[in-house]
Amino acid sequence: MTAERGLRVEGLTKSYGGVRAVDDASVTFRHGRINALIGPNGSGKTTFFNCVTGMVEPDGGTVTYHGRDLTGWPAHRVAYAGIGRSFQLCRVFPRLTAVENLLVAVRPGSVLRALSPARRKADVDRALGLLTRVGIEHLADVEARDLSYGQQKLLELAGVLMADPETILLDEPAGGVNPALIDRIGALVRELNAEGRTFLIVEHNMDVVMSLSDHVVVFDRGRPIAEGPPDEIRADPLVLAAYLGN
């Protein structure tokens, strides 16, 4: 029997004190598509991301990827399994250059080892190629702290791609960036999806969600309440009630 393709979560639960941030959530994301995960503030989206990617350990439930149980795996093992992610607030090494940030992303071990003179030319060439792809190749030797927030977002995306993941989770990629950069990030997502990568995107910008995604999952109070194509989600009364607080 062939293992089911894609990312599947069943009965996922995570509590902090008496609050269930994720509450018995079960959902399957469409493999090979651009999935969006939306919901009002506090609905559990980022906690769900953290459980799936090994940043926090769930209290219950299972996370499977291509039929393989990843539940409770540490973040680096999840990444090696083919799942990459970005963060709501950019995580870059501020005192490393853009190209050095990418070298650290791909080379296991210490930062010093990743930046040693013995680093492979292939790694450097790949890093420069990805900086070109996201449009910041001219900033390769600039320290990350001197980049704009939007440029740091592009750098973080290039760092995710450095590990060549099959599935990419993006946490608010349009947050805090200008409209031109939002369009650039959207174009990159479409290009990468056309090349075969699956996306799961948490995003509050509904224009981005509705124009970019193929499949939308809506969270409220820690669990999915609706899923389907963007046009159906836009008109779903449960979704409207969740956002309006009714």
Side-chain angles (χ1 to χ4, degrees):
M1 183 175 179
T2 303
E4 183 177 355
R5 301 288 290 171
L7 180 63
R8 181 178 179 85
V9 176
E10 294 185 342
L12 198 68
T13 300
K14 181 63 183 180
S15 298
Y16 294 101
V19 177
R20 279 201 171 190
V22 180
D23 185 11
D24 195 28
S26 297
V27 61
T28 299
F29 296 100
R30 303 289 178 86
H31 185 60
R33 310 298 288 274
I34 301 174
N35 302 269
L37 178 60
I38 66 172
N41 288 331
S43 60
K45 304 181 298 297
T46 293
T47 300
F48 178 85
F49 254 35
N50 288 340
C51 289
V52 168
T53 57
M55 303 301 295
V56 300
E57 187 171 354
D59 299 326
T62 60
V63 178
T64 58
Y65 185 58
H66 297 339
R68 188 180 188 185
D69 190 348
L70 308 186
T71 312
W73 282 23
H76 70 279
R77 288 191 66 198
V78 174
Y80 290 154
I83 300 175
R85 72 162 293 179
S86 70
F87 293 85
Q88 186 174 346
L89 299 176
C90 285
R91 294 193 179 187
V92 296
F93 292 93
R95 292 182 178 273
L96 297 183
T97 67
V99 72
E100 288 170 343
N101 265 271
L102 268 59
L103 294 173
V104 169
V106 76
R107 182 69 65 87
S110 70
V111 172
L112 289 177
R113 179 183 174 190
L115 302 180
S116 72
R119 63 194 184 193
R120 291 184 301 149
K121 182 178 183 298
D123 288 345
V124 177
D125 290 344
R126 177 168 173 75
L128 293 172
L130 287 171
L131 291 177
T132 298
R133 178 152 201 188
V134 301
I136 56 171
E137 69 279 4
H138 57 295
L139 302 171
D141 295 322
V142 176
E143 291 185 358
R145 61 180 175 174
D146 294 325
L147 302 180
S148 71
Y149 187 69
Q151 290 166 343
Q152 289 183 15
K153 285 264 192 180
L154 292 172
L155 176 61
E156 187 181 39
L157 177 57
V160 172
L161 294 173
M162 195 73 180
D164 198 24
E166 183 184 25
T167 295
I168 299 174
L169 283 63
L170 300 179
D171 197 349
E172 296 197 29
V177 300
N178 63 55
L181 187 52
I182 290 174
D183 289 344
R184 176 61 182 151
I185 292 172
L188 283 167
V189 169
R190 291 188 187 93
E191 290 170 11
L192 292 163
N193 176 246
E195 294 168 8
R197 298 184 201 268
T198 300
F199 280 87
L200 172 53
I201 301 172
V202 165
E203 185 52 65
H204 284 290
N205 186 321
M206 288 300 100
D207 289 337
V208 171
V209 169
M210 296 303 168
S211 65
L212 189 61
S213 58
D214 305 307
H215 184 73
V216 182
V217 176
V218 186
F219 259 42
D220 187 33
R221 300 179 184 181
R223 63 172 64 187
I225 60 168
E227 64 176 287
D231 288 345
E232 290 183 11
I233 293 299
R234 194 195 307 267
D236 191 303
L238 287 176
V239 177
L240 295 175
Y243 272 97
L244 294 174
N246 295 329

